[in-house]
Amino acid sequence: QKEVEQDPGPLSVPEGAIVSLNCTYSNSAFQYFMWYRQYSRKGPELLMYTYSSGNKEDGRFTAQVDKSSKYISLFIRDSQPSDSATYLCAMSVIQGAQKLVFGQGTRLTINP
Amino acid sequence: GAVVSQHPSWVICKSGTSVKIECRSLDFQATTMFWYRQFPKQSLMLMATSNEGSKATYEQGVEKDKFLINHASLTLSTLTVTSAHPEDSSFYICSARAWALAGVVLDEQYFGPGTRLTVT
């Protein structure tokens, strides 16, 4: 069993839709959770990070962590074609940006 | 801020030759850099952690004699793929750990744009 599970998709939604991306994990020691966006043949770009359970909002993006269920989500509101990319969740046991364990990534397409 | 560059962005080499990939933090000092490998439609797999002035720490299953890592300064880490073979063809991505930017304390990894290696 992988430490971090993420549905690879692909996921295709119309412009303006609310997108929900999810990851589950098995290691209860994970304390640091991140979402990255990766465009084709580019490096990942940090979108959101959080240390604790609950919600964190940044513009159209909301990150949600439920440690009791070992489940994290990223919501994108008012999705735009420019949001089309692969979204990777990442986690770390050690506090801070160390030894990240990534999910497989979900390929998202927003259709105009 | 927090820009990480990689050079080259794409390299083709013949089997048996060695290839060096550079990773630079352009506007911050990085005592720690990470090297990842990504196969098509797969996630990033951590290969090694590079600390400035000391030997790199390799993840299980990664051959340290094949993937030589040098972190000689606070802004530069290099990965050398020695005696490359076609199965080494992949997308290699580095990241740098930033402790602070413009006086703001943080602890995040910033990724480079990646290097596509093709071994023929």
Side-chain angles (χ1 to χ4, degrees), chain A residues 5-111:
Chain A
E5 297 277 359
Q6 184 177 7
D7 186 343
L11 180 62
S12 182
V13 301
E15 183 175 356
I18 296 175
V19 177
S20 174
L21 303 167
N22 311 295
C23 288
T24 59
Y25 60 96
S26 58
N27 188 348
S28 59
F30 284 136
Q31 298 292 328
Y32 188 70
F33 305 91
M34 284 143 288
W35 285 95
Y36 286 86
R37 177 174 62 196
Q38 185 177 24
Y39 292 111
S40 182
R41 299 189 178 187
K42 299 292 183 183
E45 169 194 13
L46 180 65
L47 281 176
M48 301 280 288
Y49 70 93
T50 182
Y51 290 92
S52 58
S53 286
N55 294 349
K56 181 176 181 179
E57 189 173 318
D58 184 1
R60 296 186 294 112
F61 299 91
T62 300
Q64 188 176 79
V65 175
D66 182 348
K67 288 187 178 181
S68 62
S69 301
K70 298 189 183 66
Y71 188 88
I72 69 170
S73 300
L74 177 70
F75 298 97
I76 306 174
R77 293 184 300 279
D78 188 24
S79 56
Q80 305 294 313
S82 58
D83 295 328
S84 299
T86 295
Y87 289 80
L88 301 122
C89 63
M91 308 178 188
S92 175
V93 171
I94 306 168
Q95 185 175 0
Q98 299 187 64
K99 296 201 68 171
L100 300 181
V101 179
F102 283 85
Q104 188 176 350
T106 300
R107 188 172 179 183
L108 172 66
T109 300
I110 307 298
N111 301 303

Side-chain angles (χ1 to χ4, degrees), chain A residues 102, chain B residues 35-39 42-48 59:
Chain A
F102 283 85
Chain B
W35 287 95
Y36 294 84
R37 185 172 179 175
Q38 186 178 34
F39 290 107
Q42 294 191 26
S43 190
L44 284 76
M45 296 298 294
L46 180 64
M47 297 175 65
E59 294 300 302

Side-chain angles (χ1 to χ4, degrees), chain B residues 16-77:
Chain B
T17 62
S18 295
V19 174
K20 179 184 285 188
I21 302 169
E22 292 186 349
C23 176
R24 293 182 185 272
S25 56
L26 298 185
D27 50 3
F28 65 98
Q29 294 183 332
T31 55
T32 304
M33 291 185 173
F34 303 88
W35 287 95
Y36 294 84
R37 185 172 179 175
Q38 186 178 34
F39 290 107
K41 297 184 179 180
Q42 294 191 26
S43 190
L44 284 76
M45 296 298 294
L46 180 64
M47 297 175 65
T49 301
S50 167
N51 292 299
E52 186 264 339
S54 64
K55 290 184 178 180
T57 302
Y58 291 81
E59 294 300 302
Q60 191 173 10
V62 177
E63 300 176 60
K64 62 180 181 181
D65 294 330
K66 181 168 185 62
F67 299 99
L68 301 179
I69 293 172
N70 182 278
H71 193 157
S73 77
L74 289 172
T75 59
L76 173 66
S77 177

